[in-house]
Amino acid sequence: LRVGGRLRAEHPATGLVIQASLRRSEDDCRALAHPGSRVRLCKGAYQESAALAWQRRNDVRAAYLRCLRILLDGGALPLIATHDPALIGACHRLMAAAGDAGVPHEHQMLFGVRSDEQARLAAAGEEVRVYVPFGERWYPYLMRRMAERPANLALVLRALARRG
């Protein structure tokens, strides 16, 4: 975050990523929640100790929504990075309940994971950015993501089966 702050001084559009599962993330979001701030909010894929991170799915989802509210209240541009349809729906309900349904935001998802959800969001007029790992190290990146959260493997396998 310190490096990101220095980069933003020279390149204000530089986005930063916050993992909502970390217990410190609400404070980090408060520091980043200002107009023009681009913040990619993800649940967090890394297994951290209970002292550092929320452990249960519902606790992570609740932390995600608290972080989103902080970003919205501060006027930041939230980049909603999750493939979780329940969490996406909760984000939309939170924005609508606060009268922020029209606030600029973006959904970010990995290519090949929940393509149906990507298409549904785009058809509903949502801005959806799909990212693709590339370069010489794309395969180790993909394997690391699968090892970090085995449920990701099930999503990829389902996506591949639908294409077959």
Side-chain angles (χ1 to χ4, degrees):
L1 291 175
R2 282 189 302 273
V3 170
R6 289 197 305 263
L7 279 170
R8 282 181 164 191
E10 190 171 332
H11 306 283
T14 300
L16 297 176
V17 180
I18 296 294
Q19 295 184 79
S21 63
L22 298 177
R23 294 180 185 272
R24 65 173 280 171
S25 292
E26 290 176 58
D27 288 336
D28 292 336
C29 285
R30 282 185 197 91
L32 296 170
H34 56 81
S37 180
R38 297 172 48 85
V39 180
R40 182 175 197 268
L41 185 60
C42 66
K43 288 196 305 190
Y46 302 102
Q47 278 304 119
E48 299 288 353
S49 72
L52 297 176
W54 303 106
Q55 302 295 303
R56 296 187 351 231
R57 177 185 306 211
N58 286 340
D59 292 337
V60 173
R61 284 180 175 157
Y64 191 103
L65 294 172
R66 288 191 305 271
C67 286
L68 178 60
R69 178 78 267 155
I70 291 165
L71 294 172
L72 292 170
D73 287 347
L77 174 64
L79 310 172
I80 300 169
T82 180
H83 297 92
D84 179 347
L87 185 55
I88 291 168
C91 289
H92 287 200
R93 287 189 298 278
L94 185 148
M95 289 186 287
D100 290 335
V103 73
H105 64 278
E106 177 180 293
H107 292 275
Q108 296 189 348
M109 303 171 108
L110 181 61
F111 178 78
V113 179
R114 295 239 163 99
S115 300
D116 55 339
E117 184 68 4
Q118 295 169 17
R120 184 191 71 76
L121 288 166
E126 295 287 334
E127 187 170 335
V128 179
R129 186 177 309 264
V130 178
Y131 70 97
V132 179
F134 69 96
E136 294 177 10
R137 310 273 310 149
W138 73 269
Y139 187 74
Y141 167 82
L142 181 63
M143 291 299 100
R144 190 177 73 248
R145 293 296 306 265
M146 296 303 112
E148 289 162 355
R149 189 157 315 269
N152 288 341
L153 180 57
L155 291 173
V156 170
L157 291 175
R158 277 198 300 273
L160 291 173
R162 270 185 266 162
R163 291 197 176 137

